[in-house]
Amino acid sequence: MTFLEVRNIITQRLEQYLGIPVILGDQATPPPDNYPFCYYSVTTPYAPTGAMGNYEQTEIPSTTKLTTTRTEQPTATLSLIFCSINRWSKDENGADTEPYIYGEDEAQSLAERAQGFFLHAEYDILSNLGIVVVDVTNTTNRTTLVVDEAARRYGFDVRIRYTRVDSRTDETVGSVTTSETKE
């Protein structure tokens, strides 16, 4: 499995679980106008364990070639940040209505729900998909000032382990002829 496949599985499932957009940070595309949302960045896409990995060689039928496959289980780290702002709820016509939403509370609540996603709700499902949650860090305040208002942000990092497989085709010697030389 490639890291991009792992990332896509995690972000799609997290988006479904929370019901908010989960987008890649540091893009040219601006974040959504509607709050709340989550953005993520990839801190480490591939951190090898230092082990040699498992090697397997398989003959390719009717050829003198074989496939050499190396399998390892590196880790990767994603940083997730949940964003909200103080605002009024909207009715079906887009008019302000009760209740008033406190961005701080909403962002922190989403971050805590996302931690639960990794620690319990999707832990087994992700594991069955080949993604093991290794570590979930504490939620921390990552609030920043945006023009004249603070964008309320809470986030954490999650470290996962996945199986990486690399293969190559190698030529072999088809046959060897030996001859004896007498002296």
Side-chain angles (χ1 to χ4, degrees):
M1 181 178 306
T2 67
F3 173 74
L4 292 180
E5 292 169 328
V6 170
R7 181 202 68 187
N8 291 342
I9 289 169
I10 290 172
T11 56
Q12 288 169 358
R13 295 190 73 82
L14 184 60
E15 190 169 279
Q16 290 170 355
Y17 180 77
L18 295 174
I20 62 171
V22 177
I23 58 172
L24 179 61
D26 300 328
Q27 297 188 93
T29 307
D33 292 332
N34 297 331
Y35 286 89
F37 64 89
C38 169
Y39 70 87
Y40 69 93
S41 59
V42 177
T43 307
T44 310
Y46 171 75
T49 61
M52 189 170 104
N54 296 324
Y55 282 82
E56 180 181 336
Q57 292 182 331
T58 309
E59 290 182 33
I60 300 174
S62 304
T63 68
T64 59
K65 299 178 182 180
L66 52 87
T67 300
T68 303
T69 304
R70 178 179 179 270
T71 305
E72 67 172 330
Q73 293 184 332
T75 60
T77 305
L78 297 170
S79 183
L80 300 161
I81 299 177
F82 300 87
C83 304
S84 183
I85 57 171
N86 295 340
R87 66 192 186 284
W88 288 100
S89 295
K90 301 287 185 190
D91 66 14
E92 61 275 354
N93 298 322
D96 291 346
T97 185
E98 292 288 337
Y100 188 75
I101 299 169
Y102 292 97
E104 178 102 3
D105 296 342
E106 185 175 48
Q108 185 175 14
S109 175
L110 285 167
E112 289 172 356
R113 283 185 55 213
Q115 282 179 314
F117 168 87
F118 290 106
L119 294 171
H120 183 67
E122 293 280 316
Y123 185 88
D124 287 337
I125 294 168
L126 290 174
S127 179
N128 290 337
L129 293 171
I131 304 165
V132 176
V133 177
V134 176
D135 185 36
V136 177
T137 64
N138 294 333
T139 296
T140 58
N141 187 331
R142 299 178 181 185
T143 296
T144 61
L145 184 63
V146 178
V147 186
D148 60 346
E149 183 181 350
R152 305 300 180 174
R153 297 178 180 171
Y154 276 83
F156 62 90
D157 293 347
V158 62
R159 191 164 47 110
I160 51 104
R161 184 175 305 281
Y162 64 100
T163 301
R164 176 182 167 141
V165 178
D166 295 300
S167 295
R168 73 173 186 234
T169 300
D170 296 319
E171 290 283 344
T172 61
V173 175
S175 62
V176 176
T177 305
T178 58
S179 61
E180 287 185 36
T181 306
K182 293 186 179 182
E183 292 182 30

